[in-house]
Amino acid sequence: MRIKRKFKAQHFNMIEFLIALDAIFSMSPYILWETYSNYKVFDVIKMFIEIIICLLYFKNHQKRIYKSAIVMCITFLFMYTYYVLDAYPGTLFVGLGTIMKAIIIVIFILQPREGKGNIFRIFSVLFAFSLLPGIVYCVLNILHITLPVGYIESVSEIKQANAQHYLHYFGAVFRENIYYSPIFKQVCAIYDEPGIVGTISAFILFANNYDIKKNKHLILVILGGILSMSFAFYVISLVAFLLMLISRKKIKRKYFFVGVFFAIILIFAFNNPIFQQFVFQRFKLVNLINNNRTSSQFDLLYNDFIATGFSDGSIFFGLGNGNPIYHSVDVSSYKVIIYNLGLVGFLLIIGWYLGWGLRYSGGSRLSKIYLFIFMLSIYQRPWIIYLYYIVILFGGIENLKSIEHISNDSRLIQNVAIEKEGYN
């Protein structure tokens, strides 16, 4: 009996690891790009991992599933179906990859809350080590140490049209075109842009409560976030840190040191041309007002869509068909959701994440701040119906709640010990 129970526990640990690994794959690393390899070996590996997850789950699933998890799955599938059918109208056949994507997300939702936290922690470690080669090559580039390098075309037709390609080293890629400094290459790691590295790094740091002492892998996450020169990394980290400080009655030493760390970076950055080019230039008021996550071409399309959308009804369900892509417009803004899916689709997506995020947060103060920052991030990164984003939100919330729970327990033990000493 003990052996059988242990065997089941190993299966559940394996499921957590495989879901975390599949979340990394859902971030579209370059090994999955058609421009990297025509043999699709890693696509097969990804599909194989997802099949194993399904087999292990259905063989060893919990007998008891909470009603809230079932309702969460049903509402997700409704939102996901709307997204697939409305974004690509006239598509009756849905690919196997699209179906597997939904199944794995459902399996994640059906995991116990502790399991979601475990998956997030494994994902954090995998993500951190995926940054390591990129960090090393970035430092070597700063030191003017050259290594053999290859080239990979972008998987995006828009980026190809803009003459953007990637420098390819073993285990990392770097964006290359006329807009980026030859002196410094932003860390993309194995992903397609620095923004994804910066955004995910900021959330992982927050969800681990900036506790580097207990999570050594966060050192890589911090380095990756800084060297990505991602505007999102600095903004999310700064806003999250300030909100955490405001919400606390007492400031712990670690938050003081984090604040000093940010201050040192800012002092260094003010006189640094690289920071000026990649970060501070985007803080300009004109850029924030004009929303540099869009383009003038898309703004014309969007404004025309809003002007005529109420009269022809397209404002409610959008134009679908991935229109910005077909119009060769490179956009990363919440406006894309409205343009493609309409107000109905926008409210479905925002409502699902916000509603279930609040339910998961419960009475956790840190979790609510985390959710608030997550919702704000949609402004500049709207593509959130992916496994890794769902792991980051709900797994991150569970991790924060467990940290708060441990902190409250230790505080309670200390208070009891003090009372005993006073009594004696």
Side-chain angles (χ1 to χ4, degrees):
M1 182 65 71
R2 287 182 180 176
I3 294 174
K4 190 174 182 181
R5 284 179 182 173
K6 186 177 180 181
F7 183 70
K8 279 196 171 187
Q10 288 175 344
H11 272 297
F12 271 102
N13 291 337
M14 180 59 72
I15 287 175
E16 291 169 1
F17 173 79
L18 291 177
I19 292 175
L21 181 60
D22 196 45
I24 294 291
F25 275 117
S26 72
M27 296 172 69
S28 189
Y30 74 85
I31 55 176
L32 295 179
W33 301 354
E34 291 180 359
T35 52
Y36 173 69
S37 174
N38 292 324
Y39 296 105
K40 298 184 179 298
V41 174
F42 289 100
D43 291 89
V44 174
I45 292 173
K46 180 178 183 295
M47 183 63 68
F48 183 66
I49 288 170
E50 291 172 345
I51 291 171
I52 292 175
I53 291 170
C54 295
L55 292 175
L56 290 177
Y57 177 77
F58 290 114
K59 183 179 179 181
N60 302 283
H61 71 278
Q62 289 180 311
K63 292 181 180 179
R64 183 180 181 183
I65 299 176
Y66 291 100
K67 285 184 180 179
S68 60
I70 295 173
V71 174
M72 188 177 180
C73 288
I74 292 170
T75 52
F76 165 75
L77 289 173
F78 179 78
M79 174 190 70
Y80 188 73
T81 303
Y82 177 90
Y83 166 76
V84 172
L85 296 181
D86 196 58
Y88 304 98
T91 304
L92 296 177
F93 175 76
V94 178
L96 180 60
T98 304
I99 295 171
M100 290 302 296
K101 174 182 172 182
I103 291 172
I104 300 303
I105 290 174
V106 166
I107 290 176
F108 171 78
I109 291 171
L110 292 176
Q111 295 298 302
R113 293 201 169 194
E114 182 183 351
K116 291 184 179 73
N118 292 339
I119 291 167
F120 171 80
R121 286 186 283 274
I122 297 168
F123 171 81
S124 299
V125 174
L126 292 175
F127 177 79
F129 281 99
S130 77
L131 302 180
L132 181 57
I135 293 170
V136 171
Y137 295 131
C138 182
V139 173
L140 291 176
N141 181 69
I142 293 171
L143 298 174
H144 301 288
I145 298 174
T146 57
L147 293 171
V149 61
Y151 294 89
I152 302 178
E153 289 295 326
S154 172
V155 74
S156 165
E157 293 181 6
I158 299 168
K159 290 177 180 178
Q160 287 180 14
N162 292 330
Q164 179 175 301
H165 61 272
Y166 293 84
L167 301 178
H168 174 228
Y169 299 91
F170 179 75
V173 291
F174 294 86
R175 288 198 303 184
E176 178 85 355
N177 69 18
I178 59 172
Y179 298 107
Y180 301 102
S181 166
I183 301 172
F184 184 83
K185 305 296 182 189
Q186 293 173 276
V187 168
C188 297
I190 59 176
Y191 312 105
D192 71 333
E193 62 172 37
I196 195 169
V197 172
T199 302
I200 304 308
S201 295
F203 282 123
I204 286 176
L205 287 171
F206 189 158
N208 282 285
N209 206 24
Y210 300 97
D211 196 342
I212 301 171
K213 187 176 181 180
K214 293 181 181 178
N215 303 281
K216 303 299 183 189
H217 64 279
L218 293 185
I219 295 172
L220 291 175
V221 176
I222 291 172
L223 289 173
I226 292 172
L227 294 176
S228 72
M229 291 295 162
S230 165
F231 182 70
F233 174 76
Y234 292 98
V235 171
I236 292 173
S237 298
L238 183 61
V239 173
F241 180 69
L242 290 175
L243 288 175
M244 287 175 72
L245 287 184
I246 292 169
S247 69
R248 289 182 175 274
K249 295 178 181 178
K250 294 182 180 179
I251 299 177
K252 293 183 178 181
R253 279 189 301 173
K254 71 176 178 181
Y255 295 116
F256 172 76
F257 288 123
V258 170
V260 170
F261 176 73
F262 274 118
I264 291 171
I265 287 181
L266 288 173
I267 291 169
F268 166 76
F270 271 120
N271 297 315
N272 186 281
I274 295 173
F275 271 87
Q276 291 286 345
Q277 178 182 353
F278 291 106
V279 181
F280 289 132
Q281 192 172 15
R282 295 182 63 186
F283 269 109
K284 287 182 179 180
L285 186 61
V286 64
N287 282 341
L288 293 175
I289 291 174
N290 291 336
N291 183 13
N292 63 3
R293 302 300 294 179
T294 67
S295 65
S296 57
Q297 187 180 355
F298 175 74
D299 285 337
L300 289 173
L301 291 170
Y302 183 79
N303 292 336
D304 181 62
F305 166 70
I306 295 296
T308 61
F310 285 99
S311 58
D312 61 18
S314 61
I315 189 69
F316 300 106
F317 300 102
L319 297 178
N321 216 24
N323 270 275
I325 297 173
Y326 287 103
H327 285 289
S328 300
V329 180
D330 192 7
V331 183
S332 184
S333 166
Y334 71 95
K335 293 179 180 180
V336 172
I337 304 176
I338 300 173
Y339 189 76
N340 282 350
L341 305 178
L343 291 177
V344 173
F346 179 77
L347 292 174
L348 269 177
I349 293 172
I350 297 300
W352 190 83
Y353 279 93
L354 182 59
W356 287 107
L358 286 170
R359 184 179 177 87
Y360 266 68
S361 298
S364 169
R365 181 181 64 254
L366 284 180
S367 296
K368 284 186 169 63
I369 296 174
Y370 184 74
L371 174 63
F372 174 72
I373 299 295
F374 180 90
M375 299 308 296
L376 284 182
S377 74
I378 297 174
Y379 173 83
Q380 54 89 34
R381 190 163 289 278
W383 311 111
I384 57 174
I385 309 180
Y386 287 95
L387 176 60
Y388 73 94
Y389 257 113
I390 289 174
V391 168
I392 283 168
L393 178 58
F394 298 107
I397 286 174
E398 290 303 324
N399 196 54
L400 276 172
K401 286 169 69 177
S402 67
I403 291 170
E404 281 189 303
H405 181 69
I406 292 169
S407 177
N408 291 336
D409 283 351
S410 61
R411 198 178 299 117
L412 182 62
I413 292 169
Q414 288 177 358
N415 291 337
V416 170
I418 292 169
E419 287 179 4
K420 283 185 177 179
E421 286 179 8
Y423 180 76
N424 293 332

